[in-house]
Amino acid sequence: MDEAKLFVGNQLKTVEEGLRKSEQALLAFREHEGKVFLNEEARQALENYSRLEAELEKLGQVEREASNQLRFLKANEALPDSGLVHVFSDDVQALMARLNQKLTDLNTDRAALLINYKPKHPLVVELDAKIMSVKQEMIKELESKLRTMIDREHAIKESIGRFRERYITLPKAALEQASLDREVKVNGDLYANLKQKHQEFLIRGAERIEEVSIIEPAITPGSPKNAPKATINLMLSSLIGVLLGFVLAFVRESFDTSIGTIEGVEEFLKVPVLGVIPQEDRKEIEQVIKKVFPESLDAESVELLSRLSPLFDLKGVTAEGYRSLKVNLQFACVDRTVKSLSFASAGLGEGKTTTVINLAITIAQDGRRVLVVDADLRKPAVHSRLGLKREPGLSEVLVGSAQWQDVVQTAPDLMLGKLGFDQVLSAPGVDNLSIITSGHLPPNPSEFFNSQRFVDLIASCEENYDLVMFDCPPILPVADAVLIGPKVDGVVLVYQVGKIGRTPLLRAKTLLENAQAHIVGVVLSNVSAEFSPDYHQYQYYRYSSS
């Protein structure tokens, strides 16, 4: 505030000096020339000239602002999230103001969508198209305004030219007197404003309370005061370190919401654990692939096969985990006929798709006909995991543009796909495996799963296959899995230990139960097992997430 008061004070002195000089010049002119009178026509010409000059200056400012906004819009036309929050409009009810508000609302909606979805999600892409349309309409409106303002500018300049001719023909004394009058008025107004601002600073300075006062001057001490004691400081620091360690351990334990044992999962969710899929060592898997397929494989084929252990490593730990899951699933469904199952997880990236595909391969190896349906119409992954084409698929069937029998892909499609002919041909049971991919991604998947056509599709597939398995989207972000759950015979929850907390997991189960879905059990994926040396049974099987 002191710097601002000093600046205003200096400006006040400068303006005061200028005002004094302009008043003296006007007084000297009047003493020498006397009072100069203008006729009505001359006075009117001066007033019109001044008014047009002011209007031209304002129009120039508006035109420059509109031009800057137009350049900004064109430079960011391809960016949906340019962050534009204001575009010139001289009328709050004008089209430009409404477009500006619409653009702001669309950008706000897009920011809200990006919290849950990626920029390439269909909902975000659709909103981007609307933002681009509004921007293009704003560009057209600004270009139209600029053309109108340029025409107005030409007209004003012509009028100024006409009044300038009259202005030049006025007596020299009248022109000089008018100039001096204007200078005195401008300096007077500026001096009054600065004077008022200076008085405000003076009042604020008088009201401010001194925060520091000197009681007595500082003196240099003759000896150290409060000298450090090494022994006491060491004891205190050790004690504080121990206490801090206990506090941190308690906080970490409090925030750890994961479940540490199989019994803990079953007790918390009140549903059985059907299987435990162990964590795989990527290097060991690649070594097994090279032994089974001595010929050189490209990196893409190795990547695909590394996620499909039951295809090539029948004696491996992972394949054994899926066989155990298959047996437990059969026992869990012994009291009811189960022809269709949906697999879902609470959140993203919990190994749901990998579990569905490998379990389907394991069941197909027993001679049962299995159909895998990719019901994730938002971020499908079944086609990429099996090296198949995505379209046509489930969405075309639900729209009615194709029959489900025409979009089913089987072993020949797997052989011709990215997995490779030899890899599929050497794998047992693949002839019993069929796949329906997702198809094109619609903007409203939830409406598809709430239709009678989807119910009819499930019934028809159950008649032709021993088991139909649906790979569903996560439960918490979207409602698709909750809509599919009650329409199939059972739901299997896939849970990656440590991926999410116990509260979201319980929330996902509650949503399924509220929809009257039958939850068969839980599959624990990507598990690192530690066996107790004293026990060899699963009830003492502890694990931690990878």
Side-chain angles (χ1 to χ4, degrees):
M1 188 179 71
D2 293 335
E3 295 178 357
K5 182 175 69 175
L6 181 61
F7 173 78
V8 171
N10 294 334
Q11 292 294 315
L12 187 62
K13 293 178 181 179
T14 303
V15 173
E16 184 178 9
E17 180 65 21
L19 176 60
R20 185 182 61 79
K21 290 181 179 180
S22 61
E23 289 177 342
Q24 290 178 353
L26 179 60
L27 180 60
F29 173 82
R30 288 179 176 175
E31 290 177 351
H32 185 268
E33 298 291 342
K35 183 68 173 178
V36 179
F37 296 96
L38 296 174
N39 56 33
E40 186 63 28
E41 181 181 1
R43 184 182 298 104
Q44 188 65 33
L46 283 175
E47 292 178 356
N48 290 335
Y49 180 82
S50 300
R51 177 179 56 80
L52 290 173
E53 284 284 354
E55 184 177 355
L56 181 62
E57 183 179 357
K58 179 182 178 181
L59 184 61
Q61 293 176 351
V62 172
E63 184 180 347
R64 286 191 296 274
E65 182 179 356
S67 299
N68 291 335
Q69 295 291 357
L70 182 59
R71 284 194 298 271
F72 181 76
L73 269 175
K74 288 184 175 181
N76 296 275
E77 186 177 1
L79 300 176
D81 52 352
S82 61
L84 183 66
V85 296
H86 174 71
V87 173
F88 161 75
S89 176
D90 54 357
D91 181 5
V92 294
Q93 301 298 329
L95 175 61
M96 184 57 65
R98 295 196 298 272
L99 290 175
N100 177 54
Q101 184 60 42
K102 186 176 181 181
L103 180 61
T104 303
D105 295 341
L106 289 174
N107 278 326
T108 302
D109 295 342
R110 186 179 189 275
L113 282 179
L114 288 178
I115 297 176
N116 298 318
Y117 304 115
K118 292 185 177 180
K120 293 185 179 180
H121 190 275
L123 294 177
V124 181
V125 172
E126 181 181 0
L127 203 59
D128 290 344
K130 293 181 180 180
I131 293 175
M132 291 292 295
S133 176
V134 173
K135 284 186 177 182
Q136 292 172 0
E137 192 171 354
M138 295 174 82
I139 290 174
K140 293 180 181 179
E141 178 67 13
L142 280 173
E143 289 175 345
S144 175
K145 281 182 173 290
L146 278 175
R147 288 193 296 270
T148 302
M149 285 187 287
I150 290 173
D151 294 339
R152 287 173 59 187
E153 185 178 9
H154 290 328
I156 292 174
K157 287 182 178 179
E158 291 177 0
S159 299
I160 288 176
R162 291 194 300 268
F163 282 109
R164 186 181 287 115
E165 293 176 359
R166 297 184 184 181
Y167 186 81
I168 293 174
T169 59
L170 294 174
K172 182 178 180 181
L175 298 178
E176 187 174 354
Q177 177 178 324
S179 176
L180 292 172
D181 285 336
R182 284 196 299 271
E183 185 175 358
V184 170
K185 185 177 184 305
V186 170
N187 287 334
D189 293 341
L190 182 58
Y191 178 77
N193 290 333
L194 290 173
K195 188 69 175 178
Q196 179 181 359
K197 183 63 66 176
H198 190 259
Q199 290 295 329
E200 293 176 359
F201 281 127
L202 291 177
I203 294 173
R204 292 180 185 176
E207 293 176 349
R208 189 169 58 183
I209 301 174
E210 292 293 337
E211 298 178 356
V212 179
S213 59
I214 299 176
I215 299 177
E216 63 180 50
I219 58 174
T220 303
S223 60
K225 301 295 183 182
N226 193 21
K229 298 179 181 180
T231 305
I232 295 178
N233 290 343
L234 180 61
M235 294 177 59
L236 289 176
S237 60
S238 301
L239 180 60
I240 293 174
V242 172
L243 292 176
L244 185 60
F246 278 114
V247 171
L248 291 177
F250 176 77
V251 171
R252 181 178 179 180
E253 184 67 21
S254 300
F255 280 98
D256 184 12
T257 59
S258 59
I259 311 173
T261 61
I262 291 179
E263 293 84 351
V265 175
E266 293 179 333
E267 181 180 356
F268 183 70
L269 293 180
K270 308 301 180 184
V271 295
V273 173
L274 301 175
V276 178
I277 308 303
Q279 178 185 353
E280 294 180 332
D281 188 334
R282 183 63 180 269
K283 293 183 178 179
E284 293 181 1
I285 292 295
E286 292 180 356
Q287 291 177 358
V288 174
I289 293 174
K290 291 178 181 179
K291 290 181 181 179
V292 177
F293 305 106
E295 66 276 9
S296 59
L297 297 177
D298 56 18
E300 187 174 8
S301 298
V302 173
E303 173 67 23
L304 292 177
L305 289 171
S306 65
R307 298 174 180 268
L308 304 174
S309 297
L311 270 181
F312 60 88
D313 189 16
L314 299 179
K315 297 181 180 181
V317 178
T318 304
E320 190 62 39
Y322 284 110
R323 282 194 289 271
S324 176
L325 170 60
K326 175 195 64 177
V327 173
N328 292 335
L329 185 62
Q330 291 174 349
F331 281 115
C333 301
V334 70
D335 58 341
R336 57 185 296 173
T337 302
V338 175
K339 297 280 290 183
S340 58
L341 289 172
S342 68
F343 289 73
S345 59
L348 299 170
E350 298 196 52
K352 166 180 52 62
T353 302
T354 302
T355 302
V356 171
I357 294 175
N358 285 292
L359 179 60
I361 293 173
T362 304
I363 296 175
Q365 289 172 347
D366 276 355
R368 299 175 63 189
R369 295 171 301 162
V370 182
L371 174 63
V372 176
V373 181
D374 192 348
D376 190 345
L377 301 185
R378 301 175 188 271
K379 293 182 179 180
V382 171
H383 68 282
S384 61
R385 295 292 178 86
L386 294 174
L388 299 172
K389 60 181 181 179
R390 192 183 71 186
E391 300 177 4
L394 177 62
S395 58
E396 283 77 12
V397 175
L398 297 180
V399 169
S401 60
Q403 297 296 321
W404 71 268
Q405 296 87 346
D406 299 331
V407 302
V408 172
Q409 302 187 53
T410 56
D413 298 288
L414 292 172
M415 294 179 183
L416 297 175
K418 296 180 180 179
L419 280 177
F421 183 86
D422 295 335
Q423 289 76 13
V424 177
L425 186 63
S426 61
V430 179
D431 293 340
N432 297 320
L433 179 64
S434 301
I435 302 99
I436 295 180
T437 55
S438 63
H440 78 281
L441 303 183
N444 53 346
S446 298
E447 297 182 6
F448 286 2
F449 299 124
N450 207 22
S451 64
Q452 182 61 37
R453 185 170 290 173
F454 181 66
V455 178
D456 297 338
L457 171 64
I458 296 175
S460 181
C461 292
E462 289 177 348
E463 293 177 358
N464 290 271
Y465 292 92
D466 297 323
L467 182 62
V468 183
M469 303 170 64
F470 290 87
D471 181 21
C472 300
I475 298 172
L476 297 182
V478 293
D480 300 359
V482 178
L483 293 173
I484 296 173
K487 296 178 176 62
V488 295
D489 296 332
V491 179
V492 177
L493 276 175
V494 179
Y495 171 52
Q496 180 175 336
V497 180
K499 185 73 173 181
I500 62 172
R502 63 182 68 190
T503 301
L505 181 62
L506 181 61
R507 176 60 178 166
K509 174 179 177 285
T510 303
L511 290 174
L512 290 173
E513 290 178 339
N514 291 341
Q516 304 301 316
H518 172 62
I519 301 177
V520 179
V522 182
V523 177
L524 305 181
S525 66
N526 199 28
V527 171
S528 175
E530 298 175 359
F531 286 88
S532 171
D534 300 326
Y535 301 95
H536 304 282
Q537 298 181 358
Y538 275 102
Q539 59 263 30
Y540 297 101
Y541 185 96
R542 294 189 57 83
Y543 52 88
S544 60
S545 63
S546 61

